[in-house]
Amino acid sequence: MDPVRNPFCPGAGTPPPELAGRDAVRETVRIAVERLRIGNPTKSVLMVGLRGVGKTVLLDQMRNDAEASGLHTVRVEAPEGRSLPALLAPQIRLALLRLSRVQRAKSVAQRALRGLAGFAKALKVRYSDIEVGLDLEPEPGLADNGDLELDLGALFEEIGKAAKAGGTALVIFIDELQYVEEDELAALISSLHRCTQQKLPIGVVGAGLPQLRGQAGNAKSYAERLFEYPEIGPLSRDDARLALVKPAQAQGVGFTDDSVEKIISHTKGYPYFLQEWGKHAWDVADASPITATDVRRASSEAIGALDESFFRVRFDRLTPLQKRYLRAMAELGPGPHRSGDISEALGRKVTALAPVRNELIGKGMIWSPSHGDTAFTVPLFDEFMKRIIPDDTWKQG
Ligand SMILES: Nc1ncnc2c1ncn2[C@@H]1O[C@H](COP(=O)(O)OP(=O)(O)OP(=O)(O)O)[C@@H](O)[C@H]1O
Ligand SMILES: [Mg+2]
């Protein structure tokens, strides 16, 4: 059918035509930020889930929801290798400039801008990647000690006061939070804690891989009490059906029941894969409704497209030994696997492979659901590893 009208859209952070199955978590966040606005105690929210389950699009949607109800927001993504203060500073500046246009908040927001100037200046030595426009002169003693935890806390406090004066809340949306260094995560958590204790309306909605929960707990033991951790997973059968059927229906196109069943069984309800199968099934079908035969014909193209993009970009970032480690995991099945079993498959000692395991965790390829266990962060990555390294070459090395 006409590819121009194809509604499905596999892609990192690409909003889906139907954001299926996420109403409950959107409501959790709506309640949290509305409570924040009126000064009621509330927990910040860290969404955790595997690659491609839809964390980024959800975060963006929640940000739109918050903006639509008159809250102030900032949005950052933590890439590997940039510091959190450098990411936050320019966004916080913009938020404060917006707040300072609210008459009631003006003077408090300006004080916060002075705080930001001191913050950036004092931390520039340690975090040389901080680049932020300075609108006002720093106020000596305000957020300028040169200690991230202290200064971020002081800055958050000033921002919180400005938001409160403006009768609003500031919600900071942070994607890929698992890449933030432990001391920076600790500073973020303690700054939030400081504001919570004073009932200041500043909150965080974050998203990251499943290891984020443990990382937050390691950074600050009280993180468990400060955050809710909704798990973002594959869609239920009904929601997966909705994600396929509704966007097609809007274009006057149907899916037969068995075609939907087939797609659900291939994709296991993972959003990225649903978009990929939906897209290719649409493209190969000659007419509505899309049938199980269309899905069969589309499957090899959907897998090919995933191999070339979703899986490939991750594979290409790996060293030869990291590839062998993941291939050994794949040999054992979808997982999770005991570290000992993986080492055994490679004929090496667990201790000898500990560094490569740590590197893979750092790259966000694997995580540890419980002590000594190792699991993929990318759904169906085991099958991909077997496709890309089909023979036994990984055993020698
Ligand atoms: N609830 C949903 N219903 C249907 N499709 C969805 C849903 N959520 C996300 N998608 C689709 O899944 C794909 C992946 O979404 P997104 O990039 O937000 O995932 P992610 O969890 O952020 O992945 P990563 O961990 O790789 O950053 C996109 O093509 C998006 O349109
Ligand atoms: Mg994402």
Side-chain angles (χ1 to χ4, degrees):
M1 283 179 299
D2 182 5
V4 175
R5 286 172 50 236
N6 192 330
F8 299 104
C9 56
T14 317
E18 172 69 19
L19 187 63
R22 303 302 189 210
D23 291 352
V25 65
R26 276 173 74 183
E27 182 62 5
T28 301
V29 167
R30 188 191 69 79
I31 293 169
V33 298
E34 289 301 336
R35 287 180 64 86
L36 205 59
R37 168 155 46 194
I38 60 169
N40 270 347
T42 186
K43 288 184 174 178
S44 277
V45 177
L46 299 184
M47 301 185 286
V48 290
L50 300 180
R51 289 287 174 204
V53 291
K55 301 179 296 299
T56 299
V57 298
L58 201 49
L59 206 63
D60 287 337
Q61 182 61 54
M62 289 165 171
R63 184 188 183 193
N64 292 342
D65 293 345
E67 288 271 334
S69 67
L71 295 161
H72 286 243
T73 68
V74 302
R75 159 87 157 88
V76 297
E77 177 179 331
E80 284 167 282
R82 294 255 344 251
S83 76
L84 185 68
L87 290 167
L88 281 178
Q91 296 304 320
I92 285 180
R93 171 177 172 254
L94 294 179
L96 288 173
L97 288 174
R98 281 196 300 270
L99 266 172
S100 62
R101 287 199 287 273
V102 180
Q103 200 50 40
R104 282 175 296 167
K106 189 170 177 186
S107 62
V108 199
Q110 284 185 341
R111 185 175 149 83
L113 278 168
R114 291 186 198 285
L116 178 65
F119 173 86
K121 225 169 140 185
L123 290 170
K124 181 82 186 165
V125 188
R126 171 88 204 279
Y127 303 98
S128 56
D129 56 343
I130 299 185
E131 295 291 344
V132 60
L134 300 180
D135 306 277
L136 296 168
E137 285 301 311
E139 181 179 313
L142 186 60
D144 66 352
N145 284 294
D147 174 276
L148 179 62
E149 195 160 323
L150 270 179
D151 291 349
L152 192 67
L155 181 62
F156 269 32
E157 196 176 320
E158 294 307 314
I159 303 169
K161 286 178 185 163
K164 189 174 177 182
T168 181
L170 180 82
V171 189
I172 303 176
F173 292 85
I174 312 180
D175 203 3
E176 303 282 359
L177 205 47
Q178 78 283 346
Y179 286 138
V180 171
E181 297 291 335
E182 182 169 319
D183 59 331
E184 297 168 20
L185 191 58
L188 178 73
I189 296 168
S190 88
S191 305
L192 212 52
H193 188 42
R194 183 164 163 175
C195 290
T196 307
Q197 285 170 327
Q198 298 178 61
K199 295 192 178 157
L200 291 171
I202 175 164
V204 167
V205 179
L209 293 173
Q211 53 261 48
L212 176 59
R213 190 173 182 153
Q215 289 171 334
N218 288 341
K220 287 285 173 198
S221 55
Y222 54 79
E224 279 297 315
R225 281 176 280 131
L226 212 54
F227 294 105
E228 283 193 58
Y229 296 92
E231 284 178 22
I232 310 301
L235 299 183
S236 69
R237 180 168 290 271
D238 285 348
D239 291 328
R241 169 179 296 275
L242 191 73
L244 292 166
V245 169
K246 201 169 161 191
Q249 212 167 39
Q251 302 292 326
V253 169
F255 278 91
T256 63
D257 283 345
D258 54 349
S259 73
V260 172
E261 284 305 314
K262 228 180 168 49
I263 294 182
I264 293 176
S265 107
H266 279 299
T267 60
K268 307 208 161 59
Y270 280 102
Y272 196 110
F273 304 153
L274 284 168
Q275 296 299 327
E276 200 75 80
W277 255 269
K279 173 180 189 288
H280 289 281
W282 173 291
D283 282 351
V284 304
D286 293 321
S288 174
I290 295 168
T291 64
T293 313
D294 295 327
V295 174
R296 199 164 30 247
R297 282 167 54 213
S299 283
S300 61
E301 302 193 15
I303 293 169
L306 284 172
D307 284 1
E308 277 312 305
S309 57
F310 186 73
F311 294 126
R312 186 86 209 196
V313 290
R314 309 210 145 91
F315 183 78
D316 285 346
R317 296 168 59 237
L318 303 170
T319 65
L321 184 56
Q322 291 168 354
K323 288 177 185 169
R324 289 183 57 217
Y325 192 90
L326 296 180
R327 179 61 181 83
M329 280 175 68
E331 190 71 8
L332 300 170
H337 303 297
R338 305 293 302 166
S339 302
D341 295 341
I342 303 166
S343 316
E344 199 180 308
L346 284 164
R348 303 274 283 270
K349 286 211 170 93
V350 175
T351 46
L353 290 171
V356 66
R357 182 173 181 271
N358 287 337
E359 289 158 19
L360 285 165
I361 291 175
K363 280 190 175 172
M365 294 302 302
I366 56 176
W367 71 295
S368 182
S370 55
H371 186 70
D373 272 346
T374 305
F376 291 107
T377 60
V378 185
L380 310 186
F381 206 70
D382 57 314
E383 293 172 19
F384 166 73
M385 286 307 296
K386 287 188 188 164
R387 285 195 295 275
I388 193 127
I389 309 177
D391 50 28
D392 277 350
T393 47
W394 61 275
K395 286 186 179 162
Q396 303 106 40

